[in-house]
Amino acid sequence: MTEPENPVVPVSWLSLAEIVDLVGEPLGRVRRLLDENHFIGSRRHGALRVPDVFFLDGEPLSSLRGTITVLHDAGFDDDEAIDWLLNADDTIGVAPIEALRAGRKSEVRRVAQTLA
């Protein structure tokens, strides 16, 4: 799996089986969470993988779903959205995923809306 260009957030990539273990839900529920954009993954090099930073305390990061929706509305595909989330953004001052994990979802979504 190649890393996004210039990532500032260290990332481990999780398989669906690893997500099943992490969240303690059956594979069908994990697939539904994926389909409903609670988190997104990449198939850049084979099987679907999801950045581990999209989870907090064994759950998908709650602020990620709405942010993914904003990014998709701006025309980003999943790979582009992942790259944007993991790389530093000058407007935010840190990688958007770091800001989301710090509770700054309004700021992240405001910046994401300007990307359309």
Side-chain angles (χ1 to χ4, degrees):
M1 173 81 39
T2 61
E3 296 293 322
E5 188 177 315
N6 303 317
V8 297
V9 177
V11 175
S12 292
W13 294 85
L14 303 172
S15 67
L16 288 182
E18 291 168 322
I19 295 169
V20 164
D21 291 340
L22 176 67
V23 299
E25 297 284 349
L27 180 59
R29 173 75 176 132
V30 169
R31 287 186 189 278
R32 196 165 36 258
L33 291 170
L34 183 64
D35 290 343
E36 295 171 354
N37 289 325
H38 288 271
F39 54 89
I40 53 178
S42 176
R43 294 184 186 274
R44 292 177 206 199
H45 296 286
L48 182 76
R49 298 272 187 202
V50 178
D52 64 343
V53 293
F54 289 179
F55 297 89
L56 186 63
D57 299 327
E59 297 287 331
L61 186 63
S62 62
S63 58
L64 189 58
R65 183 179 188 193
T67 305
I68 291 168
T69 299
V70 171
L71 291 169
H72 284 167
D73 289 348
F76 282 53
D77 65 23
D78 287 349
D79 286 335
E80 293 166 334
I82 290 169
D83 290 349
W84 184 78
L85 286 162
L86 298 180
N87 287 289
D89 183 278
D90 293 337
T91 309
I92 299 170
V94 295
I97 193 65
E98 289 179 322
L100 288 175
R101 292 175 67 88
R104 297 165 49 195
K105 86 175 173 187
S106 296
E107 177 184 4
V108 170
R109 290 182 187 169
R110 192 170 40 254
V111 172
Q113 287 173 337
T114 68
L115 302 173

